[in-house]
Amino acid sequence: MTLQLSIAALRAVETAARLRSYTLAAQELHITHSAVSHQIRQVESQLGTTLFTRVRTQMVPTPACEQLVVRLRRALGEIDAALRQAAAHDTTETGPLYLSVMADFANVWLVRRVGDFTRQFPNTTLALSIHTGLEPPNPNSFDIGIWHRRVDTDGFRSMQLPRDRVIAVCSAEFAGRYPTLSLESLPAVPLLRFAGRSWGEFFQAAGVEADEPVSGLIFTDAGALLSGALAGQGVAMIRRQMAEAELRTGSLVQVGDVDIEAHLDYFMSWRDGHPRESDIGSFRDWLCAQLASTSINPAAKHPES
């Protein structure tokens, strides 16, 4: 039996199974919800079997679908790799390594340092894509991923990056406007809020009796949060490594010495036995060395009054 199924329809099945949502699959594939639903119905019709069942708000893959997507991911990964090689036109040259990186890690940390990798490895070109969702994209579509979730798909390896801590920072200019700024006075000054991160948790760790702020700017992007702090808009909670460069130069200062756990980790993932394993290993080693070299000058802290 020869099935007439499009690559787009197979991608819709794989993406919906991974995300357990037609809506999220549509967002990742940049098509409409109805297009995803139509493509999956086409596959179900030709296979003569149901691939998804609705359970509350999720589209749960059936056992037949779970078996199908294991092999689909491998096949789609091979197709993507072949297409990338063909797009390079000249097969005598090595194509780029395709990276998918969480937006905050890429925009605030990686792009500032990636030039060092290029200088050390001039024959390895990196192609960077930004990822914003909590769940990873299809890992077969990239050579390297740096995401908040470990890839548990067979044939992939994941390495947890060193854990970071969250600190309170403000611009030097802001600290000058509030000369008595301290942990205890934080509830009385403008505080920048970040979606998914609680000032209440920070207050508790600092031993400060205060409620969660109900006013002030709310940011959903760590890069914008950092920019807001640098612009003197208020005190921000941010990962120490994200603010490392500004703390070194003194454009940001740390308020107090309290830090709290960053609840989301980062994982670097890649396909086991990848034909570019040597290049991936070079990037992995460079990344670990860069993270290990991060240290903050204690003089960059704002003194407690």
Side-chain angles (χ1 to χ4, degrees), residues 10-293:
L10 297 177
R11 287 194 190 278
V13 171
E14 187 283 325
T15 307
R18 174 163 39 85
L19 301 177
R20 298 195 168 210
S21 167
Y22 286 9
T23 300
L24 294 179
Q27 292 174 2
E28 180 171 315
L29 297 171
H30 303 291
I31 58 177
T32 64
H33 181 285
S34 60
V36 170
S37 179
H38 176 70
Q39 288 171 343
I40 291 175
R41 285 198 304 270
Q42 283 184 323
V43 178
E44 289 178 327
S45 175
Q46 291 211 36
L47 295 180
T49 188
T50 300
L51 296 177
F52 293 90
T53 57
R54 179 176 291 279
V55 178
R56 297 185 180 88
T57 60
Q58 290 192 329
M59 299 303 295
V60 179
T62 63
C65 183
E66 292 281 15
Q67 292 181 359
L68 173 63
V69 296
V70 169
R71 302 182 72 174
L72 263 185
R73 286 177 183 133
R74 295 196 193 103
L76 291 171
E78 290 298 323
I79 291 172
D80 288 337
L83 291 174
R84 289 197 297 267
Q85 185 177 23
H89 299 298
D90 184 357
T91 57
T92 64
E93 296 183 4
T94 303
L97 276 181
Y98 288 85
L99 275 65
S100 171
V101 183
M102 296 304 303
D104 54 353
F105 191 90
N107 294 332
V108 181
W109 191 89
L110 181 61
V111 295
R112 297 180 175 187
R113 295 164 174 81
V114 74
D116 180 74
F117 177 86
T118 302
R119 286 188 291 272
Q120 290 190 43
F121 303 95
N123 295 325
T124 302
T125 302
L126 301 178
L128 178 63
S129 295
I130 300 300
H131 183 67
T132 57
L134 191 59
E135 294 300 324
N138 179 3
N140 286 296
S141 298
F142 302 95
D143 300 309
I144 298 171
I146 300 177
W147 302 310
H148 281 314
R149 293 282 189 265
R150 185 188 301 274
V151 174
D152 294 323
T153 304
D154 289 342
F156 279 84
R157 299 177 64 184
S158 291
M159 176 187 74
Q160 183 174 341
L161 301 185
R163 288 190 165 181
D164 202 359
R165 305 285 292 180
V166 172
I167 58 176
V169 300
C170 66
S171 70
E173 182 271 335
F174 183 91
R177 282 189 277 133
Y178 295 86
T180 61
L181 181 64
S182 66
L183 291 173
E184 290 72 20
S185 67
L186 280 178
V189 304
L191 299 177
L192 305 182
R193 296 182 288 169
F194 188 63
R197 189 172 292 159
S198 168
W199 270 108
E201 181 182 354
F202 189 87
F203 290 154
Q204 184 177 13
V208 175
E209 294 187 9
D211 296 326
E212 185 74 27
V214 295
S215 62
L217 290 170
I218 299 176
F219 295 85
T220 59
D221 177 77
L225 176 68
L226 181 65
S227 296
L230 286 168
Q233 297 299 313
V235 180
M237 283 188 298
I238 197 162
R239 290 174 182 261
R240 186 186 298 274
Q241 287 178 339
M242 299 295 179
E244 179 258 348
E246 287 74 18
L247 289 168
R248 283 182 183 275
T249 62
S251 55
L252 285 182
V253 294
Q254 181 178 348
V255 181
D257 57 2
V258 170
D259 56 26
I260 61 174
E261 181 181 354
H263 295 298
L264 289 174
D265 294 320
Y266 293 104
F267 296 88
M268 175 179 161
S269 300
W270 67 97
R271 184 153 48 95
D272 203 13
H274 195 290
R276 302 281 300 278
E277 191 163 358
S278 176
D279 292 331
I280 292 172
S282 295
F283 180 83
R284 180 184 64 242
D285 294 344
W286 171 85
L287 178 66
C288 291
Q290 288 288 317
L291 290 169
S293 69

